[in-house]
Amino acid sequence: MTAMNMVQALNSALDGKMNEDPDILIFGEDVGYFGGVFRVTDKLQEKYGLTRCFDTPISEGGIVATAIGMGAYGLRPVVEIQFADYILPAFDQLVSEAARLRYRSNGDFWAPITVRVPYGGGIFGGQTHSQSPEALFAHVVGLKSVIPSNPYDAKGLLISAIEDDDPVIFFEPKRLYNGLFEGRPDDAVKPWKNHPLADVPEEIYRIPLGKARTVREGSDVTVLAYGTMVHVALSAIEECGIDAELIDLRSIVPLDIDAIVESVRRTGRCVIAHEASRYGGFGGELSALVQERCFYHLRAPIERVTGWDTPYPHAFEWDYFPGPQRVIDAMQRTQEV
């Protein structure tokens, strides 16, 4: 085992798969010589050459369209969209082409592509470098959406995504790249090296897509979260003393609905936390699923803790960000009914 931060774990996953399979290649803006804006692809061009790790023009639609064509002809491209905010020019290619290729061709072609997307706030990126668009892609049949919350999961999930024959959008919470973040901006940075989930094997391993992780067992309320909000929620639970069960979804498509139902039926209460804005966010789908499957077990209304329905503000970032106190307030409301 080696202590890794999330950047190093993702780099290790890419390195291991490129070494194992010559059909895997990486491209995107600045991912080659520079090693990516967050350094996730550092030294991969040096190791595997210009034909397997290379830079592209600033054209997200072109990047994804090229990947789809490569995937249809047998390659397994892993492309990077530098920030989630800039994935929208590729939306048509992902929705109209990648997601539907297998269905439209009656199984003759498919798009085994992985689209890496740094997402979320907490870095003072303002409205154009902080968004969380995961709900847009969860709505599209044929796309898978994966969101790790720690280095160990990041490597295992990325390997599974690369090996998957369906197109996968791999959302990377950039506020977690180099250390833990519990939603308190004034706290000192907590490096990953002291966390048990920073112990990452050097060799290839896999975490299956659609299998949630129970972070903490509890009996008072179930908290559903993914990405950065897993750590925010855990901090809130530890602070308030409510015996909450915390589930890290890991992927939202496919979704481990069995783990959710088992927990909510036992606790009778549910809080859903995500950083994206509230209206139309994935929390609404989670709420509906819990309501449909656990109605007679619920002892309180389902609570959602989310970002606000505004562009992500730069000056008021911490008013927007759903921090621990908002999670605590939601859990307490479930206990008052």
Side-chain angles (χ1 to χ4, degrees):
M1 295 282 190
T2 301
M4 297 185 189
N5 61 28
M6 192 177 287
V7 170
Q8 293 165 329
L10 293 165
N11 182 273
S12 178
L14 294 170
D15 186 15
K17 287 305 297 177
M18 291 182 80
N19 183 64
E20 182 182 80
D21 185 350
D23 288 334
I24 294 171
L25 64 158
I26 294 169
F27 55 96
E29 298 161 19
D30 296 323
V31 303
Y33 176 80
F34 185 63
V37 68
F38 295 105
R39 315 303 291 166
V40 172
T41 56
D42 189 37
K43 293 187 169 41
L44 295 181
Q45 184 181 88
E46 180 181 328
K47 185 171 183 178
Y48 295 102
L50 290 168
T51 60
R52 293 191 62 200
C53 182
F54 54 89
D55 296 325
T56 67
I58 302 175
S59 174
E60 289 79 9
I63 292 168
V64 172
T66 302
I68 294 168
M70 288 179 169
Y73 280 89
L75 298 175
R76 287 187 178 271
V78 182
V79 302
E80 178 182 301
I81 304 298
Q82 201 168 82
F83 288 88
D85 313 68
Y86 302 132
I87 199 171
L88 295 182
F91 194 75
D92 179 56
Q93 289 294 329
L94 288 166
V95 174
S96 301
E97 307 299 336
R100 289 160 168 65
L101 184 58
R102 187 198 294 269
Y103 179 85
R104 190 169 64 200
S105 68
N106 196 30
D108 288 339
F109 297 96
W110 55 95
I113 69 173
T114 303
V115 182
R116 292 184 40 251
V117 186
Y119 91 108
I123 65 164
F124 298 101
Q127 64 174 346
T128 58
H129 295 81
S130 303
Q131 295 174 76
S132 301
E134 66 272 10
L136 300 178
F137 298 96
H139 180 69
V140 179
V141 177
L143 296 179
K144 295 180 178 179
S145 297
V146 179
I147 310 172
S149 69
N150 60 77
Y152 183 86
D153 283 5
K155 179 173 180 177
L157 289 169
L158 182 55
I159 289 169
S160 294
I162 293 170
E163 294 176 347
D164 200 290
D165 286 337
D166 290 315
V168 179
I169 316 297
F170 195 87
F171 292 97
E172 300 168 8
K174 53 184 178 286
R175 189 58 178 82
L176 299 180
Y177 271 147
N178 294 301
L180 281 166
F181 182 64
E182 298 173 338
R184 298 180 179 87
D186 296 329
D187 286 358
V189 174
K190 297 182 179 180
W192 277 113
K193 65 180 180 180
N194 299 319
H195 196 282
L197 289 173
D199 289 334
V200 179
E202 295 282 355
E203 64 270 14
I204 296 289
Y205 65 93
R206 298 158 185 85
I207 294 175
L209 307 186
K211 184 66 175 177
R213 177 176 71 95
T214 300
V215 179
R216 182 190 189 279
E217 294 183 348
S219 60
D220 290 343
V221 59
T222 298
V223 180
L224 307 178
Y226 50 84
T228 303
M229 291 304 297
V230 171
H231 304 283
V232 174
L234 182 59
S235 177
I237 293 167
E238 292 172 346
E239 179 180 330
C240 73
I242 293 174
D243 187 24
E245 181 151 295
L246 175 58
I247 296 178
D248 179 356
L249 298 181
R250 284 178 166 163
S251 66
I252 58 176
V253 180
L255 180 68
D256 192 350
I257 188 63
D258 290 339
I260 295 171
V261 169
E262 189 279 328
S263 179
V264 175
R265 286 184 175 179
R266 182 162 35 77
T267 66
R269 299 174 174 87
C270 183
V271 171
I272 298 163
H274 63 63
E275 191 179 340
S277 54
R278 182 181 179 90
Y279 192 89
F282 191 69
E285 178 65 21
L286 287 171
S287 180
L289 290 169
V290 170
Q291 180 79 355
E292 290 166 0
R293 289 163 171 78
C294 306
F295 178 78
Y296 292 107
H297 296 80
L298 288 171
R299 291 182 248 171
I302 300 166
E303 292 280 345
R304 283 185 287 164
V305 182
T306 71
W308 305 120
D309 293 328
T310 71
Y312 208 113
H314 177 77
F316 299 101
E317 175 147 22
W318 304 117
D319 295 304
Y320 178 96
F321 189 91
Q325 189 57 54
R326 284 164 62 186
V327 179
I328 290 171
D329 293 343
M331 288 192 294
Q332 289 177 338
R333 285 193 296 271
T334 68
Q335 305 302 303
E336 294 167 356
V337 177

